[in-house]
Every structure is written in C-alpha cells, then in structure tokens.
C-alpha cells in the first residue's frame, strides 16, 4: 500500500539519479547508463505530448524545478496551466496525483526486460548476417 507521486515526477527523479550515477562511471558503460536515464524521460515527454503541450519545454521545466528545489515530487500537473502559468510543472503531492509503487516498479522492470530481449534478438540477427 505504498505510493509514488505521478505526473512523471517519479520518472524524472529516477532519471536525475541515474544521470548523476552515470557521472561516476567510466568507460562505455556510462553511455548505456545515460541512455537508460534518457529512456526514463520518455514517460513525462509522452504525458506532455498527449496533453497537447510542448513536451521538451515541459520536461525541462519539471526537471529544473526538481533540481532547483531538491523536490522529487515535481511533475506535470495540468491544473496549473489553467491558472495562466508558463508551464505545468507542479508538486504532485499538492494536487493528489499518485500511483502505486508496485505498479511503477513493474512498469520499469518489464520495460527493461523487453529492451534486453530486443537487444539479444538484434545480436543474434547481427551475428547471423556476418556468417
């Protein structure tokens, strides 16, 4: 019965943490870790785009506020747009947007597994082309 706050706030926070970790890694692994962080950003980008907003500016505003305020609860809250705000980055706890922790963990885990399977298939196909 644990929750995380929605509106892309959890993904943005995870993306920032993974990017920070990537800075400590040397070599080729750093690129894979950064790519994972970028993939986490795709969820709030999709939320903004599906809401008819400019995805890049909304994600940048939410990330900026999370870093500036050191607040992982900042996400994309559409209710603020009606108030004439420049962007919809807002505190998800204040507006009551949340989802279950188990659901979020499963989403990220399953998405990661799918990508790993695709990469394995791609390796098999690539190896077959060279033989």
């Amino acid at each position: 019965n644990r929750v995380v706050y929605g509106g892309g706030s959890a993904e943005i926070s995870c993306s920032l943490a993974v990017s920070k970790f990537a800075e400590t890694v040397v070599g080729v692994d750093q690129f894979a870790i950064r790519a994972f962080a970028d993939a986490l950003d795709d969820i709030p980008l999709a939320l903004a785009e599906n809401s008819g907003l400019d995805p890049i500016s909304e994600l940048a505003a939410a990330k900026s506020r999370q870093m500036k305020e050191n607040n992982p609860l900042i996400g994309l809250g559409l209710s603020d747009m009606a108030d004439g705000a420049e962007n919809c980055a807002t505190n998800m706890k204040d507006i009551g947007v949340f989802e279950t922790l188990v659901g979020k963990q499963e989403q990220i885990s399953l998405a990661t597994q799918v990508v790993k399977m695709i990469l394995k298939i791609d390796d098999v196909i690539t190896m077959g082309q060279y033989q």
Side-chain angles (χ1 to χ4, degrees), residues 6-9 11-12 40-63 74-79 81 86-90 92:
S9 63
E11 290 85 355
I12 294 169
L40 288 168
D41 285 339
D42 286 342
I43 288 142
L45 282 171
L47 285 172
E49 187 172 358
N50 290 339
S51 301
L53 304 170
D54 179 18
I56 295 173
S57 67
E58 294 299 330
L59 176 63
K63 266 188 163 181
I74 303 296
L76 306 178
L78 298 177
S79 62
M81 289 301 285
E86 286 182 25
N87 56 60
C88 63
T90 191
M92 295 293 103

Side-chain angles (χ1 to χ4, degrees), residues 17-39:
V18 171
S19 292
K20 186 175 181 179
F21 172 72
E23 294 171 6
T24 67
V25 177
V26 295
V28 178
D29 291 342
Q30 183 181 44
F31 295 107
I33 295 168
R34 285 192 190 281
F36 188 81
D38 290 343

Side-chain angles (χ1 to χ4, degrees), residues 116-131:
K116 286 170 53 177
M117 285 190 323
I118 290 170
L119 290 173
K120 285 181 183 178
I121 292 168
D122 189 43
D123 284 344
V124 170
I125 292 171
T126 302
M127 292 298 290
Q129 289 175 349
Y130 291 114
Q131 294 178 353

Side-chain angles (χ1 to χ4, degrees), residues 43-117:
I43 288 142
L45 282 171
L47 285 172
E49 187 172 358
N50 290 339
S51 301
L53 304 170
D54 179 18
I56 295 173
S57 67
E58 294 299 330
L59 176 63
K63 266 188 163 181
S64 174
R65 278 197 57 195
Q66 271 202 19
M67 291 181 351
K68 192 182 316 176
E69 299 174 17
N70 196 24
N71 184 356
L73 306 180
I74 303 296
L76 306 178
L78 298 177
S79 62
D80 280 1
M81 289 301 285
D83 299 335
E86 286 182 25
N87 56 60
C88 63
T90 191
N91 189 318
M92 295 293 103
K93 186 175 183 179
D94 292 346
I95 62 173
V97 177
F98 58 89
E99 50 192 307
T100 63
L101 175 62
V102 172
K104 184 58 63 186
Q105 288 173 323
E106 287 298 314
Q107 291 168 12
I108 293 172
S109 176
L110 289 172
T112 304
Q113 289 175 17
V114 167
V115 169
K116 286 170 53 177
M117 285 190 323

